[in-house]
Structure formats: structure tokens, C-alpha cells
Amino acid sequence: MPLSSPNKISLTEQPKVDEIRENKRKRNDENNPSPLKRARELDDPANMTDSQRKPNFSALTTPNNGITRHSSPLSNNKPGAAKKLVIKNFKEKPKMPENFQQETWRKLCEAVEAIHKSCSIRYSLEELYQAVENMCSYKMSANLYEQLKLVCEAHVRTCLEQFKADNSDYEQFLKLLDFCWQAHCRQMIMIRSIFLFLDRTFVLQNSTILSIWDMGLDLFRANVISDKVVEVKTVDGLLRLIERERNGEAVNRQLLKSLLRMLSDLQIYKEAFEKKFLEATDRLYAAEGQQLMQERDVPEYLHHVDKRLNEETERLLHYLDQSTKKPLIACVEKQLIDQHLPQILNKGLDNMLQENRIGDLMLLYQLFTRVNHGQKDLCSMFAVYIKKAGRMIVINNENDPDKDKEMVQKLLDFKDKIDNIIDVCFGKSEKFVNAMKESFENFINQRQNKPAELIAKYVDSKLKAGNKEATEEELEHLLDKIMVLFRFIHGKDVFEAFYKKDLAKRLLMSKSASVDAEKSMLSKLKQECGAAFTSKLEGMFKDMDLSKDLSLALKPYMQNLDVAGLIDLTVNILTMGYWPTYTPMEVHLPPEMIRYQEIFKKFYLGKHSGRKLQWQPSLGHCVLKAQFPSANKELQVSLFQSLCLLLFNTGNVLTYEEILTATAIEESELKRTLQSLACGKPTLRVLSKKPKGRDIEDGDKFYFNEEFKHPLFRIRINQVQMKETPEENTSTTERVFHDRQYQVDAAIVRIMKTRKTLSHNLLISELFNQLKFPVKPTDLKKRIESLIDRDYMERDKDNPNNYHYVA
Amino acid sequence: MLLDQFNFHYISGWTAVASWRWIANDENCGICRMPFDGCCPDCKLPGDDCPLVWGQCSHCFHIHCIVKWLNSQQVHQLCPMCRQEWKFKE
């Protein structure tokens, strides 16, 4: 290949060319150094040595160089025709001046001393550099190094004298030291620049010899700082400066920084300074922590700690060595936080939580996260607080009804507050969330049944029509929050019983605010407790739907019978098992109504054979057209209310006893009914009573109120009976306990069936595991007795503590 | 009705409430011993989903219970209470 031949030639030629160039350059350098090149070499000696050692092979690869080489006299020959080139020795060997070494060293020594005295140097730096290089070239490096070291050491020693003599105050001393150190550094840099060639050749080749810079440091360390007096004075001075800064004074940070840098440069920062510094810090903050814990309240204290930590971090940024960071911060944390963990928590946490001090709590969490156990301790104290505060809300020893009324709202607010604190202050930490849940569950179940009942009633109050406080979304949100509380409750059956009772009222009185909200609540309960829990409630909704269809079918039936008269009848048919049990009541209805009842009965039983209907008058309600002297009104009233009002068609005055016999409504029920008609809001009194008063007494007389006026045409007169009677309440609670018996029985039989034989204690503990509501062991014993009586199980003949399952 | 009286009230709408239960000659189902107001052991909820049936012998059972019983009888289909031949009452 023709192209390859020039390459071959250049390869053989190259060393020779380079040799010549090299020689040329060396000579040039010695005789006539270009100032530009010198300057570069002074700046960047590495570059120089590099280019000197390596022949420049870049010519091989750079095509441009190839071209120029072709034009040079050596390589412009044709390929293959290489000429021989003979290099002859110098005719005379160059000699060295006789006193070369002494002379040169004198020059250098003079220069070094001038540098030490900070006067100007007589010779140019170039010349001095040259001198060093020459000396090194003639193998005088070791000697030169030793002599330089001696000169420097002598100078450093003179420095020491002034420190020993110096008796001024420590700040003055530090300044002097700093000045001296700075000067020393400057001088050493200068000296190194002059002796750079020595540094780069002789020192580099001998690993045991310190570089000139390091030698300078070593001399300073060995001769100045290692002097006990100077060292102690320096470190003490630094510590005193820092202490003054910690006490709030402004100090010369530059001085601190420079001297601490000196200590680390001299590699005595750790032994000489850091240890003492940390000890001093430890002492200071131990004392401060003790004192401030006593004097200040906790938030103030925490802010102080935060301030201290920030200060120390700033100190690290400004003058301390980074290696001190860990031990220093750890020391502050230990003395100011770790040592006082229990005190901070006992003294301040409750107040901060009580007063919802978000900022302080956030700080508390941040500080506590820094130390071991901090979070854990905080978390457990947090749990203790929730239990304590929660118990205050839940427990009501005087059974004050007003307090109970507020309980659920308070619980919701409390939960919101705690959630907010966990979110904002405690970084949404799972540990805290779990502690919160556990604590809520703990305190809410400290009082049996009542919280469940009150939550059910709270839901009722929100789902009832006429509750215009909330939009659909707000209501939905509220229900979600209530479900969270509900989750904590152990006695969910109590909730179900009361919820069912209230739901029945809402459905039957068509008082429900929104079907959507009802359904949404139902699905939430289903999700939470499973389908079995809500199946009865769903059955109630199903009954309502069936009843609606039934009423639609009733209309044409009535028309066919030609009795489509004055009354528009709808009937809600309840399946017994779904609904709460209602005590049946017999009341006297007007003949017209009885006729309607009979028609419906026939209609219904025609559709469903084998059934019997039980009317529930206490749940019915009517629309009553009433004529007052002022205007005609449409009253929406309960069946009992309308029965009473209808009596006034026949006379204007009636006594309580007359009403009682005419309607046959149960007495307490009747009293409430009359109360709602005669003692309600003044604008809603359709009847007036003599004597006046809030309560209905025997012998009271009732008059039809002819002055009745109301702006609206349709008026709803609420029943007082909407308020739950104590009997109703206790009967609901009793029913819950009654239902629980069956659950206990079922659980016992289930366990015995699998185990066949079991001791009493094991059976009881197994039961506690399975039953989801609180039970007393004595109740369990009763159920076991009852099951033995009914031959589900028997006692062991020899050991009465063992039971056998009877198949 | 008397319409001449000035303070005459009458009912124009009535939402009545009634509950229903089965008419049975016994409290409990003779097969499963569960109350008729409740449901058979296979069902969870009483009411339309677990209806009762009557035989011509006038005995009455949960429909699920009697059907299961009748299916288990190979030869004669008898009422479990009175041993008469079982016939559904129309």
C-alpha cells in the first residue's frame, strides 16, 4: 500500500529528530531562557516535567505535522532513501565554577532570609529558580534541602520567643499567633516557589522526605505549637472566645476560623482542640439544660434548644472543622434533649396538646426525632394524653344528659384535632396513627353502651329532615368521620339497635332528609361490619319499597269498590323480624277509619294468605284539614294527634278524662300528644289548656283555639314523643343484652362441638376471644348452666370443672 | 258527616302502619324447632324469603323444611306431625 510507506519512514526517523530537538531546546534553555516559558514552568511545573520526559509522538498521529515534516530538510527525501546522521560529542566538556555551590547557596540563603524578614529580594526570582535547578542538576539536592530546613527552623524558633515573652490578654495573643501563622504560610509558599524544582525532583523521589510545604508545617508544629505554654494558651483562648460567643457576644469569627484552620493544617485539631472543646460544650449545656428546665416552661425551653442547635450548626459552617459536626451536635442533643426527655413530656406535652399549639408540637417532634427513644417516648405519652382527655369526654358519672348530648360532637372535634396534630406536627407517622387508634378504642369503650347509643343518635339527628346545616357533601364527609368513631366501638350491636330504632322512625314518619344519605350510611355500615349486620336494616328499606307498590295497587282497588272517599290511604307493612318490636296498642278510631282498615285488610290478605295484620296506631300519621275562623289549614300530625283533634268536632271544651276515654290512647302517650297540641310553641297551639302550664294533669280542660293564626297553609306539628322515653331506652338496651345471650349460647355450642371436652377456664378464655362485645364471666357461667339444663353439654362426672359436648 | 259546624276537621290523608306475621297453629316449626316468626336454619332473614306452607292436615312448616323432609321420604310422602299423606293446602 503506498500510503503506509511514509509512516514507516517517519517511525524510524522520529527518535533522531526528537533527539536533536531535545538537545537544541536544552541548550536554548540554559543560555537563553524565554521569559514566557519560565513563567509557565513556574506556574505549572508538572506540565514542564511531563513534556521534558516524553518525546513528542503526537507528530505520528497528527497529519498536519506530517505535512510540515515533509518540507523539512531531514524528511523531504523520497521514501526509502534515508540518510545517516552522525552526532558528534562536544569537543570540550563544560566545567563547573569552583565555588559554585557556596555561591549559589549564599544567594538562595540571602533570598530566604529576605523573605523571612519580609524585605525585597535582591535577585530576580527567575535567577533563583535557575540556581535551584542547577544545584539539583549537579546532585546537590540533599544538601540544599538540609540547609534550607536549617534556615527555616532557625527563623521559626525566633517566632516562638515572642509568644513566650508575650503576656498580653488571650485575644491579643491569638491575634499575634494568627499573624505569625499567616506570615509563615505566606513565606513558605514563596520559598516553595523558588525551591520548586527541588520539591518536584528530589523530594518526590524520596518518599521519606517531607515536601517543602509540609516541612514548613512540621517546623511550625514542632517548634511553636508543641510548646506547652503556647498550645495551652492557644486552645484556652479559642475556647474562651467560643464561650463568649455562646453567651451572646459578637467575636472575631475570622480569627477563630483562621486559627482552627491552622490547627487542622498542623493536624493537631483533634487531640489539642476538639476533645477539650467537646468537654467544654458538654459542661456548658449540661448546666444550661438543668437550669433552664427549672426556670422556663416547656415551649420556651424547646425554642431555646432549637436556637442552640442552629447556633452550633452555624458555628460549624463558619469556623469549626466539619469532622466536629457529629460529636458536637450529638453532645448538644444529649445534654439539652435526651437528658430531659421525661421532664419535657411530663411537664409540657399535655398543655401543648390541650392548647393545640401546632408550632410548638412540630418543634417538639423535630427535636425528639433527633434522639434515641425520643419518638417512642413521645408516642407513648401522646397515647396517654389521648386516653386521659378522651375519658374526660366519655365518662359521665353524674349521668348529666347535657354532657351526653355533646359527647359525640366533642369526640369528633377531638378526633379532628388529634388528626390534625398527627398530620401537621408528627409527620403523619404511622406509629402515632396507630397509637391514636389504640387510645381511642381504649377510652371510648371505658363506658359501656352509652357511646354507641349516642353515636347512633347523633347520626339520626344528622339524617333527619329539617337538618339544613349541611350540604350533601358535608353530610357525607360527616358520616365518614362518624364511621371512624364507630370503628372504635366494641358494642356494635348496641349501635345497631339504636340506629335501627331511629331509622324506623325516620322511614315511617317520612322524616328522612335524603334517601341517598341513608343508603350511603347503610353501605358504610355494611362495609364495616359485613352484610349480616345490615341485612335487617336493608330489609326495612325493602319493606318500604314493597309498601309503596302496595299503595299504588290499592288505589284502583278502592276505586273499584267505589269507596274512594275522603281519605287517601297508604299503609306501610312491616315484616316483624326486620323492625324494632313495638308494643301493640288498641285505640278507638272513628268508624270511617275502621272501615278503611277493613278494606285494606281484605285487600292485603287477598294477596298474601296465611298472614295476619297487626295495626300499629302509634306509628301512623295523618294530614288533617282544619278550619279555623281565620283560615283553613292543613295540619300534618300523628294519628294520635288527629284522634284528639277530631274529638273537637263535637264540642269546644273537653276534659282530659273525656279525651282519655274517647280515644283509649295509653296515658303517658296521650299526655305527650296533648302537650304537643296545647303546650308547644305559642304559634303552633291548636288547643288551649286550662289551667295553663307545661305539664298535663288530670282534670285539665282543653279548648279549641279559635284565635289560631299561622302564616303557612301546611303546618307540621311535631310530636313530643319524638323524644325518647327512658323506658324505650332501657328496653332497647335490654333487647341488645337479650340478643347477646343467643350469641353467647351459639359460641359455647360451637366451641364445645369442635373440642368435645374442655375445662371451664379454657372454655371461658376461648369465649372471650370469639365474642366481639364485653361480657362478664358470671354471665357466661349462667349461659353454661342454661345449656347444661337444656342437654347441650354436661359436666364430667369426676371433675366438675370439665365439660363434655352432648351430641 | 256534619259539615255545618265551623270548626270541622277531617282527615284527608292517612299513612297507617301495620306489621304482619304468619297465622300458624303453633309457635315453632315442627321440623326445625325454630319459631315461625323467625326463619328456617338455612335462611338468614324471616319474611317473604322464607315463607310458611300449610298442608291439608292443617299442619304448617317452613317451606324449606317441609320440602327437604318430603325429598328424604322414599315411599310415602307423609306429614311429619300426623303421619297423614302430605298435600299442600291450596
Side-chain angles (χ1 to χ4, degrees):
Chain A
M1 266 174 111
L3 266 178
S4 64
S5 38
N7 279 352
K8 261 183 196 160
I9 295 156
S10 56
L11 264 177
T12 50
E13 274 174 5
Q14 194 61 45
K16 288 173 197 161
V17 174
D18 275 333
E19 211 174 311
I20 291 161
R21 279 187 184 161
E22 192 75 15
N23 283 339
K24 223 179 183 176
R25 197 167 66 195
K26 266 188 185 162
R27 251 174 287 134
N28 274 350
D29 285 350
E30 273 160 24
N31 302 331
N32 183 21
S34 97
L36 207 96
K37 198 172 175 218
R38 276 282 156 257
R40 205 188 60 214
E41 281 169 357
L42 270 176
D43 279 346
D44 193 359
N47 197 15
M48 177 194 79
T49 45
D50 223 41
S51 63
Q52 263 187 351
R53 275 178 200 159
K54 279 189 205 159
N56 185 5
F57 280 106
S58 65
L60 280 176
T61 45
T62 328
N64 272 352
N65 276 355
I67 291 161
T68 46
R69 206 172 55 236
H70 276 288
S71 64
S72 82
L74 281 172
S75 52
N76 62 355
N77 299 323
K78 283 174 188 168
K83 272 188 178 175
K84 270 189 186 169
L85 186 80
V86 183
I87 299 168
K88 289 174 184 165
N89 285 338
F90 289 115
K91 281 183 183 141
E92 210 178 326
K93 201 177 178 188
K95 264 188 207 158
M96 198 165 38
E98 293 206 354
N99 55 353
F100 169 75
Q101 189 174 0
Q102 285 82 355
E103 268 306 300
T104 324
W105 170 244
R106 193 186 50 73
K107 258 163 68 183
L108 288 170
C109 185
E110 209 176 296
V112 169
E113 273 163 6
I115 291 172
H116 281 153
K117 286 180 188 132
S118 304
C119 4
S120 57
I121 309 166
R122 268 206 302 146
Y123 312 94
S124 76
L125 292 176
E126 269 173 46
E127 200 181 338
L128 293 169
Y129 181 91
Q130 190 72 56
V132 173
E133 187 176 350
N134 286 342
M135 282 185 85
C136 292
S137 313
Y138 290 103
K139 304 197 170 45
M140 297 168 190
S141 307
N143 201 321
L144 180 62
Y145 185 86
E146 277 314 308
Q147 274 175 317
L148 176 65
K149 192 173 169 186
L150 282 177
V151 174
C152 289
E153 188 165 5
H155 172 70
V156 170
R157 285 224 172 111
T158 57
C159 287
L160 178 64
E161 293 312 310
Q162 54 179 332
F163 297 124
K164 283 204 162 163
D166 189 76
N167 279 324
S168 54
D169 74 304
Y170 65 93
E171 199 166 353
Q172 218 51 48
F173 171 84
L174 290 179
K175 275 182 184 155
L176 186 65
L177 180 65
D178 182 45
F179 177 78
C180 195
W181 163 252
Q182 298 288 354
H184 178 76
C185 288
R186 255 193 334 270
Q187 290 158 6
M188 284 319 291
I189 289 170
M190 197 65 190
I191 290 170
R192 188 184 59 163
S193 300
I194 292 172
F195 287 82
L196 194 61
F197 195 84
L198 180 70
D199 212 19
R200 292 293 175 190
T201 53
F202 173 71
V203 173
L204 271 187
Q205 286 152 15
N206 295 281
S207 55
T208 49
I209 294 178
L210 293 173
S211 74
I212 294 178
W213 173 253
D214 287 339
M215 176 191 80
L217 294 179
D218 196 45
L219 288 177
F220 200 84
R221 173 170 55 228
N223 292 298
V224 180
I225 295 298
S226 292
D227 187 275
K228 269 297 146 211
V229 182
V230 177
E231 186 190 316
V232 169
K233 226 169 163 183
T234 312
V235 173
D236 281 357
L238 288 169
L239 291 178
R240 277 163 81 175
L241 264 189
I242 294 174
E243 193 183 325
R244 268 170 54 192
E245 194 188 35
R246 280 179 175 155
N247 287 339
E249 276 178 64
V251 297
N252 186 349
R253 286 185 157 181
Q254 201 48 48
L255 179 64
L256 276 167
K257 179 180 179 171
S258 160
L259 287 172
L260 287 169
R261 274 293 292 278
M262 171 188 87
L263 293 181
S264 13
D265 284 347
L266 297 176
Q267 292 172 337
I268 54 168
Y269 177 84
K270 263 210 152 49
E271 310 87 75
F273 174 76
E274 194 186 49
K275 203 165 145 248
K276 283 190 178 169
F277 170 68
L278 288 175
E279 277 167 15
T281 312
D282 206 58
R283 266 198 310 279
L284 171 73
Y285 287 133
E288 186 174 284
Q290 289 290 347
Q291 194 197 347
L292 294 185
M293 226 20 248
Q294 301 283 326
E295 287 172 5
R296 304 197 179 180
D297 66 10
V298 171
E300 244 180 287
Y301 179 78
L302 292 174
H303 282 287
H304 180 78
V305 174
D306 191 44
K307 199 184 96 202
R308 280 302 194 197
L309 281 166
N310 285 335
E311 280 172 12
E312 294 303 335
T313 320
E314 210 178 301
R315 218 153 271 147
L316 282 163
L317 281 176
H318 280 105
Y319 50 80
L320 291 173
D321 193 82
Q322 282 307 308
S323 62
T324 314
K325 184 173 181 173
K326 244 186 156 169
L328 172 62
I329 298 297
C331 169
V332 181
E333 284 166 353
K334 178 170 169 258
Q335 291 301 348
L336 289 185
I337 308 173
D338 211 6
Q339 295 284 326
H340 307 287
L341 274 188
Q343 267 164 291
I344 294 177
L345 290 174
N346 289 332
K347 210 171 125 189
L349 182 66
D350 282 12
N351 266 338
M352 285 155 78
L353 289 168
Q354 189 74 45
E355 290 162 25
N356 203 18
R357 298 170 76 148
I358 298 290
D360 293 342
L361 286 167
M362 209 186 301
L363 181 62
L364 178 76
Y365 179 75
Q366 279 164 9
L367 294 178
F368 272 46
T369 315
R370 288 166 166 269
V371 296
N372 257 351
H373 298 297
Q375 266 199 27
K376 213 178 103 203
D377 289 2
L378 175 60
C379 190
S380 57
M381 288 306 284
F382 178 63
V384 169
Y385 167 77
I386 296 180
K387 283 179 202 163
K388 200 164 57 183
R391 212 171 298 148
M392 298 269 282
I393 300 176
V394 171
I395 300 290
N396 184 354
N397 283 332
E398 288 94 54
N399 272 320
D400 173 9
D402 287 339
K403 192 182 173 193
D404 278 348
K405 214 181 273 174
E406 290 172 352
M407 184 206 286
V408 179
Q409 189 58 52
K410 275 190 178 165
L411 283 176
L412 287 172
D413 294 346
F414 184 57
K415 177 82 179 23
D416 275 354
K417 178 175 143 185
I418 296 294
D419 279 349
N420 186 41
I421 288 174
I422 291 178
D423 269 13
V424 178
C425 309
F426 297 160
K428 298 181 187 174
S429 154
E430 205 154 301
K431 246 188 281 172
F432 284 81
V433 173
N434 288 337
M436 179 271 289
K437 284 185 182 158
E438 210 174 281
S439 315
F440 261 84
E441 193 171 327
N442 176 295
F443 79 70
I444 230 172
N445 289 300
Q446 297 248 328
R447 187 173 173 196
Q448 281 195 12
N449 304 326
K450 200 72 185 172
E453 176 194 328
L454 291 173
I455 290 175
K457 288 192 177 149
Y458 185 83
V459 178
D460 177 56
S461 75
K462 293 295 167 191
L463 289 176
K464 228 186 247 174
N467 167 40
K468 292 189 182 78
E469 296 160 40
T471 62
E472 289 266 318
E473 280 148 47
E474 283 166 350
L475 187 59
E476 181 70 22
H477 186 61
L478 184 71
L479 291 181
D480 279 334
K481 288 208 272 190
I482 290 172
M483 286 310 293
V484 176
L485 287 187
F486 171 70
R487 221 161 279 159
F488 298 131
I489 297 239
H490 285 160
K492 295 200 164 47
D493 45 358
V494 180
F495 174 89
E496 197 242 15
F498 280 96
Y499 185 78
K500 188 163 94 173
K501 193 172 59 72
D502 291 330
L503 174 64
K505 273 186 188 169
R506 289 200 298 277
L507 290 177
L508 295 177
M509 310 289 174
S510 38
K511 285 204 122 189
S512 188
S514 133
V515 183
D516 289 347
E518 292 283 2
K519 290 270 162 77
S520 138
M521 184 67 196
L522 201 61
S523 74
K524 284 187 214 306
L525 287 174
K526 192 170 182 174
Q527 215 174 13
E528 189 61 37
C529 304
F533 186 80
T534 51
S535 56
K536 286 186 181 175
L537 303 178
E538 276 167 36
M540 289 162 72
F541 280 98
K542 212 171 82 187
D543 272 357
M544 292 306 288
D545 288 342
L546 287 176
S547 303
K548 213 176 276 166
D549 296 344
L550 207 63
S551 297
L552 284 178
L554 179 66
K555 291 244 152 60
Y557 178 81
M558 299 275 264
Q559 268 159 10
N560 283 346
L561 281 182
D562 207 21
V563 286
L566 293 162
I567 301 178
D568 177 19
L569 176 68
T570 39
V571 183
N572 288 322
I573 299 293
L574 316 183
T575 304
M576 281 300 284
Y578 299 152
W579 298 76
T581 37
Y582 300 106
T583 34
M585 285 183 188
E586 287 294 332
V587 292
H588 293 164
L589 293 178
E592 181 72 359
M593 294 176 92
I594 291 177
R595 198 161 73 88
Y596 270 83
Q597 269 189 357
E598 288 309 315
I599 293 169
F600 179 81
K601 207 170 177 177
K602 214 169 149 198
F603 165 73
Y604 180 79
L605 295 180
K607 281 180 178 284
H608 303 275
S609 58
R611 301 185 179 189
K612 69 180 175 212
L613 279 182
Q614 168 77 52
W615 295 96
Q616 304 283 358
S618 62
L619 300 169
H621 56 103
C622 302
V623 177
L624 193 73
K625 299 266 192 194
Q627 289 175 329
F628 295 97
S630 57
N632 287 354
K633 298 286 178 195
E634 204 174 280
L635 302 178
Q636 288 183 305
V637 285
S638 74
L639 178 65
F640 289 167
Q641 284 172 325
S642 20
L643 290 183
C644 293
L645 285 176
L646 285 175
L647 293 179
F648 287 88
N649 280 343
T650 51
N652 254 341
V653 190
L654 288 167
T655 63
Y656 171 73
E657 283 76 13
E658 280 168 334
I659 300 176
L660 184 64
T661 38
T663 56
I665 300 173
E666 188 264 331
E667 270 203 63
S668 66
E669 197 75 45
L670 180 62
K671 276 185 179 165
R672 276 198 299 278
T673 309
L674 287 172
Q675 222 172 6
S676 70
L677 294 172
C679 315
K681 274 191 211 158
T683 48
L684 285 177
R685 287 182 192 164
V686 217
L687 299 181
S688 50
K689 174 174 96 81
K690 267 186 192 164
K692 292 196 185 310
R694 278 218 48 83
D695 292 312
I696 310 292
E697 306 292 342
D698 295 353
D700 281 358
K701 282 184 179 160
F702 295 89
Y703 300 86
F704 184 71
N705 182 5
E706 286 170 16
E707 267 99 65
F708 184 83
K709 276 198 182 87
H710 200 276
L712 298 175
F713 174 64
R714 269 174 181 240
I715 305 160
R716 178 186 278 263
I717 299 177
N718 282 331
Q719 294 156 294
V720 180
Q721 70 162 35
M722 290 310 284
K723 265 196 185 155
E724 188 184 55
T725 60
E727 302 90 68
E728 239 184 316
N729 191 321
T730 37
S731 78
T732 310
T733 327
E734 264 169 28
R735 209 162 42 248
V736 169
F737 293 136
H738 199 251
D739 285 349
R740 281 180 182 176
Q741 281 185 7
Y742 297 125
Q743 290 192 48
V744 174
D745 286 1
I748 295 174
V749 172
R750 212 165 40 234
I751 294 167
M752 289 311 295
K753 195 168 179 178
T754 48
R755 299 296 175 88
K756 303 298 180 213
T757 301
L758 206 60
S759 78
H760 178 77
N761 288 341
L762 282 175
L763 177 60
I764 296 285
S765 68
E766 185 83 355
L767 280 171
F768 278 126
N769 279 337
Q770 288 203 7
L771 297 172
K772 287 175 186 132
F773 45 84
V775 268
K776 280 182 261 155
T778 46
D779 292 337
L780 293 181
K781 250 185 186 161
K782 274 184 208 154
R783 296 322 302 161
I784 293 173
E785 288 297 338
S786 146
L787 286 170
I788 290 174
D789 286 347
R790 283 181 285 161
D791 287 339
Y792 282 92
M793 51 202 276
E794 63 185 11
R795 283 185 202 279
D796 191 281
K797 284 183 186 71
D798 304 320
N799 182 358
N801 268 333
N802 277 353
Y803 302 118
H804 298 293
Y805 178 68
V806 179
Chain B
M1 292 215 179
L2 303 167
L3 284 163
D4 52 339
Q5 236 176 311
F6 69 92
N7 56 348
F8 173 72
H9 318 310
Y10 66 93
I11 286 172
S12 69
W14 180 18
T15 309
V17 178
S19 54
W20 67 267
R21 57 171 73 218
W22 301 107
I23 307 173
N25 45 14
D26 202 350
E27 285 283 301
N28 300 330
C29 168
I31 298 174
C32 68
R33 307 302 301 161
M34 297 305 277
F36 284 127
D37 283 341
C39 53
C40 78
D42 296 333
C43 287
K44 289 222 166 78
L45 286 172
D48 290 329
D49 294 336
C50 187
L52 304 192
V53 282
W54 285 264
Q56 282 184 352
C57 56
S58 89
H59 285 117
C60 151
F61 306 98
H62 289 120
I63 191 167
H64 300 136
C65 296
I66 189 69
V67 167
K68 218 195 257 174
W69 163 259
L70 293 176
N71 286 342
S72 70
Q73 301 294 301
Q74 272 111 26
V75 197
H76 299 293
Q77 304 222 311
L78 303 177
C79 169
M81 302 297 273
C82 58
R83 299 277 158 197
Q84 293 181 45
E85 193 183 354
W86 178 266
K87 273 188 186 135
F88 284 103
K89 194 174 169 186
E90 288 306 312

